[in-house]
Amino acid sequence: MYTVFLYDGTFDGLLTCIDKILSTHVNEDEVVIAEKDRYQPMFFDSPVYVALDKNRSQELRQKVISASDKITFKKIYYCFLSEAQNKETYIYKYIKLILKHGKKVKYLYHNDVVNFVEKASKNVSREIGKYMGLMRFSEIKNGVLYAQFEPTNDILVPISYFFRERLKNFKWVIHDKKRSKLSIYDTKMIKFLNDINLNASFSDDENLYQKLWKLYFKTMAIEERKNLKLQRQNMPKKYWKYLTEKN
Amino acid sequence: MDILEKLQILGAAAKYDVSCASSGSKRETNYGIGSTFTAGICHSWTDDGRCISLLKVLFTNECLFDCAYCINRKSNDIKRATFTPYEVAELTMNFYKRNYIEGLFLSSAIKNSPDWTMEMLYKTVYLLRYKYQFNGYIHVKAIPYASLDLIRRTGFLADRMSVNIELPSEKSLKLLCPNKTKESILKPMEFITKVGEEERNFVSAGQSTQMIIGATDDSDRKIITLSQHLYKKFKLKRVYYSAYTPVNDDPRILKVEKPPLLREHRLYQADWLIRVYNFTADELFEKDENLDLEVDPKVMWALRHLDKFPVEVNKASYEELIRVPGIGIKSARRIIKNRVFHSLDFDDLKKIGVVLKRAKYFITCNGKTYERHLIDTVPEKVKLQLIEKKAAEQKVKQLSFFDSEVFTSVITGEI
Ligand code: SF4
């Protein structure tokens, strides 16, 4: 028999939920954690909903970091951003391992839980890394830069912080089309918004620079060394939809 | 001439330049637009599978000089173009803010005079840093014979500078570059090293150079010995090797049918060994003048020193581990970290990412060899096993130089 815990879908919500579970006496193997809106109730379940409590999540965050380190905590966060099945339950078990073994957990590579978290977080950080290079911004009428993408994982937040450093003096919008989420940066701070539709038209320069970039992209290829397979390996087709040079 | 046509001509003229990595800048700034990223970021991959990270262009391809191997030499009848500093700066900014690129790689032929050319490069970089407040990565060439003062001023604005050494010996340089002297290359190189040691924020990502391979009869030993010298004496960050692609019909150049890509690849590997693995050129060339094309230079070295093997993975020092073919810096570090917790067997090695394909002939785990691999077999037999299935020759033919596995190792030279 499983005990099902539901959380609100946010990272802090999940931490609150895990903190709550840690303070109750349930058998680890019987814990299931799921997002409230995605959860499909089973016949015998009586799920418990744990509401977000910032103090509690903050406390657990500190506890995990002092038992291990920031890098390990970031792994947990990245795992949370992944689309891996049952990630919440694995994160719960992983946190338990950290509280027991400290940052040595990364050497327990035989362990399924550790393996799961390592894999999922690597997958996310790889995707973030790809988009650092492959995100394409276009200038729209009011000089704002606009980028759209459809990432596999929910990486809008970390990717936005990356571009805050990179494009400090520009106003920009990054649009996760798959999840209908936006981040907006006004040269001071980033705001995150949900369920927004955007209509924008290009600035006068935009067409010229797209043309220049396409030309440059073509010019740089060395005909005698053509290797489209290798190109696809480095830049898989899933990224092409919003790549200026591929359209 | 419009900007599209200029970009086409001056981009094409720069595309064979290989030294365009964008990593490792430590320039300190807290203003303006953009940032450099320590690991380097690829923004696209061309149809030949190479990564684009910088806008790589020549400022001009109109050249006063007449180097035998160069498409831009004075005596060639080709389309010529010259940017203005403003045009290059605008292109860079507009590409950068659309996230097409990481920064600029600006090289040039020598037009009007070396100083005129250097001044144009300086102006371009100045515009970018001060007018546009651009903080991204900039790599500029230092032009031979340009005044040291101009080079100095440019160096404070650039992340990296490079003077191309072009050829591995003075004899070859005399033969192919009648207008350049050894002096004209080594003087600015030495100058950049010196200022770099004295001043902060001067070419903070260091200095690099490029050498052409296969246009002359210089041996691998000569090339790698020169590189070793450059790393030591001039503290260069990288030496890039560029297999010569025949563009001119010139009797002074060795007849090359195809660019010697596999040789270039082996040189990168040897370079990596002297730069990161503490090998010396003498160790790599005890007997031969050239590298073995069939196996990588670490295997070549190991086969000559089978007396140093097998290495016991659970006991060996870091220095011993990294000399094992197939064990790189990363794997060696992981081995040392992990064996603290428990002793490692071959399965564990696989799990932490050691590639056993090569390593298995040279190691033991707790005294055991891998399956029934005998370490003390004759070198020739081991070598036969280690020659990759596709014959080395075929590799060159199919240009699998650009296959991903080989290619990544070309960029880093890692073995
Ligand atoms: S100076 Fe440079 S551009 Fe001019 S011919 Fe020589 S190699 Fe070519």
Side-chain angles (χ1 to χ4, degrees):
Chain A
M1 193 66 180
Y2 289 111
T3 318
V4 180
F5 295 88
L6 301 179
Y7 74 109
D8 63 359
T10 67
F11 187 52
D12 279 312
L14 175 61
L15 290 180
T16 314
C17 184
I18 291 175
D19 196 55
K20 173 90 190 280
I21 301 170
L22 290 171
S23 65
T24 55
H25 296 282
V26 269
N27 186 343
E28 177 185 306
D29 293 328
E30 289 167 4
V31 169
V32 171
I33 310 175
E35 198 180 325
K36 190 179 61 173
D37 295 339
R38 288 197 193 178
Y39 178 65
Q40 315 263 331
M42 307 271 234
F43 195 67
F44 291 110
D45 292 350
S46 47
V48 184
Y49 176 64
V50 183
L52 166 73
D53 176 343
K54 275 258 160 110
N55 289 330
R56 252 191 132 142
S57 74
Q58 198 54 32
E59 226 170 82
L60 182 61
R61 183 189 300 249
Q62 284 315 324
K63 218 154 114 195
V64 171
I65 293 175
S66 56
S68 56
D69 51 24
K70 282 198 173 143
I71 297 173
T72 312
F73 187 79
K74 194 166 152 192
K75 267 184 203 161
I76 296 173
Y77 177 55
Y78 276 13
C79 177
F80 170 76
L81 297 180
S82 80
E83 293 282 296
Q85 288 275 319
N86 300 327
K87 60 185 183 191
E88 294 90 348
T89 317
Y90 278 101
I91 289 176
Y92 157 70
K93 290 182 179 171
Y94 189 70
I95 288 180
K96 276 195 91 170
L97 282 173
I98 290 175
L99 296 177
K100 194 165 154 202
H101 299 283
K103 61 179 164 192
K104 275 186 226 149
V105 284
K106 63 170 176 253
Y107 300 116
L108 304 173
Y109 43 82
H110 299 278
N111 185 307
D112 282 349
V113 175
V114 177
N115 237 316
F116 179 96
V117 173
E118 290 280 340
K119 241 202 216 136
S121 74
K122 232 179 230 144
N123 185 297
V124 169
S125 79
R126 203 171 299 133
E127 194 179 28
I128 293 172
K130 276 281 187 218
Y131 273 114
M132 286 175 178
L134 293 175
M135 191 77 82
R136 292 290 175 262
F137 288 86
S138 313
E139 197 179 69
I140 50 183
K141 274 264 153 47
N142 45 11
V144 173
L145 297 169
Y146 172 69
Q148 34 188 345
F149 71 148
E150 293 176 33
T152 308
N153 302 293
D154 192 3
I155 58 174
L156 182 66
V157 173
I159 208 80
S160 300
Y161 285 116
F162 171 77
F163 282 107
R164 185 180 61 176
E165 285 313 300
R166 179 125 308 196
L167 302 171
K168 281 199 258 294
N169 297 14
F170 295 99
K171 295 180 179 168
W172 50 253
V173 176
I174 301 176
H175 190 174
D176 179 343
K177 294 270 247 195
K178 195 165 137 193
R179 297 173 182 77
S180 303
K181 286 183 179 180
L182 284 180
S183 65
I184 297 180
Y185 174 71
D186 61 1
T187 72
K188 285 184 193 70
M189 56 186 291
I190 309 176
K191 280 201 194 100
F192 293 95
L193 303 170
N194 287 324
D195 297 317
I196 287 214
N197 262 324
L198 214 80
N199 266 326
S201 50
F202 287 163
S203 73
D204 296 339
D205 273 358
E206 185 54 28
N207 287 325
L208 170 66
Y209 284 104
Q210 292 202 1
K211 221 160 124 189
L212 281 163
W213 174 240
K214 284 182 192 176
L215 173 83
Y216 181 73
F217 177 78
K218 251 175 66 194
T219 307
M220 286 329 261
I222 297 175
E223 186 56 34
E224 300 87 343
R225 289 181 168 189
K226 201 164 186 167
N227 189 341
L228 295 172
K229 203 177 115 215
L230 176 58
Q231 182 190 46
R232 266 200 305 279
Q233 232 168 63
N234 286 316
M235 192 164 75
K237 271 220 159 126
K238 75 164 208 178
Y239 296 99
W240 291 13
K241 188 164 165 196
Y242 298 111
L243 277 180
T244 318
E245 61 270 35
K246 279 289 173 194
N247 287 296
Chain B
M1 190 183 287
D2 72 359
I3 189 80
L4 274 153
E5 198 177 347
K6 282 189 185 178
L7 181 65
Q8 186 157 30
I9 295 170
L10 296 166
K15 74 176 164 190
Y16 295 100
D17 211 313
V18 285
S19 48
C20 71
S22 68
S23 56
S25 182
K26 293 189 289 282
R27 201 165 30 81
E28 294 158 29
T29 39
N30 45 17
Y31 62 89
I33 295 141
S35 58
T36 52
F37 192 70
T38 36
I41 294 176
C42 289
H43 288 260
S44 194
W45 281 266
T46 59
D47 286 354
D48 59 37
R50 286 184 313 158
C51 145
I52 300 181
S53 65
L54 303 173
L55 169 63
K56 191 162 50 164
V57 287
L58 295 195
F59 187 82
T60 176
N61 68 343
E62 291 182 52
C63 202
L64 285 175
F65 287 6
D66 209 33
C67 307
Y69 50 79
C70 178
I71 185 84
N72 300 318
R73 65 178 178 175
K74 192 172 151 195
S75 53
N76 277 3
D77 182 19
I78 54 163
K79 244 191 183 170
R80 308 281 177 171
T82 302
F83 278 125
T84 65
Y86 180 76
E87 282 169 339
V88 178
E90 276 285 308
L91 270 175
T92 308
M93 281 316 288
N94 276 293
F95 278 10
Y96 188 85
K97 72 183 191 196
R98 287 169 176 78
N99 205 37
Y100 298 161
I101 52 164
E102 219 31 30
L104 173 66
F105 176 101
L106 187 58
S107 181
S108 186
I110 304 171
K111 185 182 171 178
N112 296 337
S113 73
D115 271 355
W116 182 89
T117 311
M118 196 66 228
E119 185 152 5
M120 287 300 128
L121 303 187
Y122 169 70
K123 275 192 177 149
T124 308
V125 184
Y126 184 90
L127 265 182
L128 273 168
R129 293 293 194 218
Y130 289 109
K131 179 159 188 287
Y132 295 87
Q133 305 269 298
F134 177 67
N135 247 333
Y137 191 90
I138 300 182
H139 178 159
V140 203
K141 290 275 169 204
I143 303 295
Y145 298 109
S147 92
L148 295 182
D149 183 52
L150 268 172
I151 291 179
R152 183 188 165 90
R153 278 191 277 155
T154 312
F156 278 110
L157 301 174
D159 293 276
R160 172 166 288 186
M161 275 188 108
S162 56
V163 194
N164 283 353
I165 198 150
E166 315 284 18
L167 296 161
S169 69
E170 198 175 359
K171 187 186 113 226
S172 307
L173 192 67
K174 269 205 181 117
L175 182 70
L176 301 189
C177 302
N179 312 89
K180 289 184 197 159
T181 58
K182 188 174 141 196
E183 249 294 74
S184 72
I185 292 164
L186 293 186
K187 209 171 110 196
M189 200 181 259
E190 198 173 356
F191 178 75
I192 294 169
T193 309
K194 203 179 114 238
V195 185
E197 278 173 350
E198 290 164 0
E199 309 269 1
R200 255 157 49 118
N201 275 5
F202 182 86
V203 291
S204 66
Q207 191 184 175
S208 63
T209 192
Q210 177 168 321
M211 218 185 285
I212 299 162
I213 304 308
T216 56
D217 61 4
D218 300 289
S219 69
D220 290 349
R221 172 198 278 272
K222 206 180 247 167
I223 293 165
I224 291 298
T225 308
L226 173 63
S227 299
Q228 181 174 287
H229 194 69
L230 292 171
Y231 288 130
K232 245 207 194 114
K233 183 151 185 239
F234 295 127
K235 312 263 171 351
L236 291 201
K237 280 277 159 11
R238 288 296 302 271
V239 176
Y240 291 91
Y241 307 93
S242 163
Y244 182 62
T245 314
V247 288
N248 297 332
D249 208 9
D250 192 301
R252 289 169 292 174
I253 297 177
L254 282 191
K255 277 269 164 283
V256 239
E257 304 246 304
K258 283 189 198 94
L261 294 175
L262 185 57
R263 183 175 174 208
E264 177 192 279
H265 177 51
R266 292 282 179 246
L267 283 167
Y268 272 112
Q269 292 179 316
D271 179 281
W272 183 261
L273 289 182
I274 59 165
R275 197 157 41 91
V276 188
Y277 286 72
N278 296 323
F279 278 87
T280 62
D282 285 346
E283 278 180 297
L284 294 177
F285 298 96
E286 277 156 314
K287 281 207 196 118
D288 305 321
E289 280 296 307
N290 288 303
L291 293 166
D292 193 328
L293 289 180
E294 290 180 320
V295 290
D296 73 57
K298 207 198 223 177
V299 170
M300 180 190 88
W301 177 84
L303 291 177
R304 281 197 188 140
H305 295 93
L306 284 180
D307 55 305
K308 293 194 165 57
F309 297 97
V311 161
E312 169 55 47
V313 166
N314 289 295
K315 294 214 183 81
S317 68
Y318 172 76
E319 277 70 27
E320 287 166 330
L321 284 173
I322 57 171
R323 290 205 163 203
V324 175
I327 298 185
I329 303 268
K330 254 198 203 154
S331 311
R333 286 203 187 123
R334 282 199 198 137
I335 287 171
I336 287 177
K337 270 194 180 168
N338 277 281
R339 72 186 183 189
V340 175
F341 297 96
H342 58 92
S343 76
L344 306 170
D345 58 27
F346 284 98
D347 254 7
D348 295 329
L349 289 184
K350 269 188 216 160
K351 275 191 186 136
I352 58 179
V354 175
V355 184
L356 289 177
K357 203 177 92 195
R358 271 166 295 174
K360 64 188 177 191
Y361 297 96
F362 303 96
I363 52 174
T364 54
C365 289
N366 300 313
K368 288 196 198 78
T369 56
Y370 186 78
E371 284 160 10
R372 247 174 287 137
H373 284 299
L374 290 180
I375 313 290
D376 55 353
T377 7
V378 245
E380 279 315 307
K381 275 194 189 158
V382 183
K383 182 173 165 179
L384 276 179
Q385 308 268 354
L386 283 171
I387 293 174
E388 283 131 66
K389 273 187 211 100
K390 284 179 225 157
E393 210 177 300
Q394 199 186 345
K395 242 183 180 168
V396 184
K397 236 186 265 158
Q398 300 181 339
L399 295 180
S400 59
F401 163 76
F402 280 117
D403 278 353
S404 67
E405 186 201 352
V406 187
F407 185 61
T408 356
S409 84
V410 162
I411 296 175
T412 59
E414 182 157 20
I415 310 167

